[in-house]
């Protein structure tokens, strides 16, 4: 998969900074923690750069580590779990102080986490949840509450259709995230927990778009019927619930290429890219459930606590808001992506 240009730029900046630092190290006085060897070393395994959200998430963590004087060993897994397992393994061999990783899928981590535990290295799970029988294999999780994001998406629909079309069925296409990943699973579960109480909503089709714009584009092309409506087989689509902005923009690309106005369908998306919030103002998107990618500062606090031998909470959530077509956006500050 091709890397986003911002991440490439960031990589260059990090490389340049490293070169500059080692050059300056000859002339500059070392910091206290460098001097006495107490600088924290954090091994961080990121999934890749599949979305703008992910790119911002990586930036936030690298920036916060630099600000907190934490030395970070950053590995990009390019969307493959095996690369993440290898990276975590190499962090253990390098005897880093703390390991943080974003699990691309929920399962398959027990062996490598057991290795980290045996080596006495605490692990923080970032952004996505894992399934393991032994919770003592990691110190804690920092991320978002995906179940509640799914619920918020559905609550908007319940509100929007409270009075309009009370008796007509409303057909929903769900475009879900990466299979076996916790946000895909939890967002779907949260969404259903609300709409199942409202019989007029029917999920007529659910398909994974892997959190990718390219897959959203493919799905967008598939649902365009010969009369320029949107449908799955004979069933017209009234609502699209997309698990992230990247896939939503893929669908919108397909609609634009085929001269179809996005305003004919209600679109609910999750993440909160600036351009998605803007799209609320011209009717291309109807609701954005924000997912905050800026986990860096809080992650660094947790890393420091673990380094001091202190416990951390089992779960730390970062909050997100909901933006809808009913709001005004004069006060929208954005989350940097
Ligand atoms: O919504 C999506 C990303 O895991 C919460 O992954 C994250 C999701 C986010 O690529 O854009």
């Amino acid at each position: 998969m091709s890397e986003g240009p911002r991440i490439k730029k960031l990589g260059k900046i990090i490389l340049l900074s490293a070169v500059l630092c080692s050059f300056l190290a000859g002339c500059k006085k070392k910091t206290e923690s460098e001097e006495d060897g107490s600088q924290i070393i954090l091994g961080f395994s990121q999934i890749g750069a599949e979305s703008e959200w992910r790119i911002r998430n990586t930036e936030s963590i690298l920036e916060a580590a630099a600000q907190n004087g934490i030395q970070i060993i950053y590995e990009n897994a390019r969307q493959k779990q095996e690369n993440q397992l290898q990276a975590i393994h190499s962090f253990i061999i390098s005897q880093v102080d703390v390991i943080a990783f974003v699990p691309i899928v929920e399962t398959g981590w027990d062996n490598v986490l057991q290795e980290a535990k045996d080596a006495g290295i605490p692990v923080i799970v970032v952004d996505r949840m894992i399934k393991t029988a032994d919770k003592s294999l990691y110190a804690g999780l920092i991320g978002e509450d995906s179940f509640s994001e799914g619920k918020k998406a559905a609550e908007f629909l319940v509100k929007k259709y409270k009075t309009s079309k009370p008796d007509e069925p409303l057909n929903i296409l769900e475009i879900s995230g990466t299979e076996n990943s916790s946000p895909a699973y939890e967002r779907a579960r949260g969404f259903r927990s609300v709409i199942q109480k409202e019989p007029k909503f029917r999920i007529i089709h659910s398909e994974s778009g892997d959190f990718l714009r390219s897959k959203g584009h493919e799905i967008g092309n598939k649902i365009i019927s010969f009369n320029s409506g949107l449908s799955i087989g004979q069933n017209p689509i009234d609502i699209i619930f997309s698990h992230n902005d990247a896939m939503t923009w893929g669908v919108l690309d397909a609609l634009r290429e085929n001269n179809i106005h996005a305003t004919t369908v209600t679109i609910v998306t999750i993440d909160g890219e600036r351009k998605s919030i803007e799209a609320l103002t011209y009717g291309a998107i109807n609701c954005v459930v924000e997912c905050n990618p800026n986990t860096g500062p809080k992650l660094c606090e947790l890393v420091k606590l673990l380094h001091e031998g202190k416990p951390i909470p089992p779960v730390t959530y970062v909050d997100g808001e909901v933006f809808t077509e009913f709001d005004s956006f004069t006060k929208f500050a954005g989350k940097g992506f």
Side-chain angles (χ1 to χ4, degrees), residues 11 40-41 48-49 56 61 89 96 101-102 107 139 145-148 152 157 179 185 190 193 216 218 223 239 260 306:
I40 305 173
I41 303 178
R56 178 62 211 140
I61 291 171
H89 197 72
V96 300
F101 79 110
V102 180
T107 51
D145 182 349
S146 298
F147 181 82
S148 109
K152 289 175 190 169
L157 292 173
E179 279 173 52
Y185 183 66
S193 75
E218 274 172 35
I223 59 174
I239 295 160
I260 298 173
L306 288 175

Side-chain angles (χ1 to χ4, degrees), residues 47 49-55 57 79 102-104 126-128 143-144 146 149 177-178 181-184 187 210-212 243-247 270-273 289 291-293 337:
I47 297 175
E50 75 281 4
S51 63
E52 294 291 325
W53 188 98
R54 180 68 52 208
I55 293 170
N57 179 241
Q79 309 303 128
V102 180
I104 184 160
V126 182
D127 166 22
R128 299 185 178 180
E144 63 291 325
S146 298
E149 289 166 348
T178 302
S181 73
S182 72
R187 286 171 181 173
D210 211 7
F211 286 128
L212 294 170
H243 286 199
N244 87 341
D245 283 358
M247 298 186 295
I270 301 180
D271 270 0
E273 290 176 23
V289 177
C291 177
N292 186 348
F337 70 124

Side-chain angles (χ1 to χ4, degrees), residues 84-146:
Q84 290 203 280
L85 293 171
Q86 246 173 43
I88 299 172
H89 197 72
S90 75
F91 298 152
I92 299 170
I93 292 171
S94 315
Q95 297 183 317
V96 300
D97 296 303
V98 180
I99 293 172
F101 79 110
V102 180
I104 184 160
V105 289
E106 283 191 319
T107 51
W109 306 102
D110 288 38
N111 290 346
V112 80
L113 292 182
Q114 186 64 52
E115 268 180 57
K117 191 179 175 189
D118 294 345
I121 303 174
V123 176
I124 304 177
V125 177
V126 182
D127 166 22
R128 299 185 178 180
M129 294 191 296
I130 59 168
K131 271 196 188 133
T132 168
D134 182 0
K135 287 262 163 63
S136 78
L137 289 181
Y138 64 98
L141 163 106
I142 171 161
E144 63 291 325
D145 182 349
S146 298

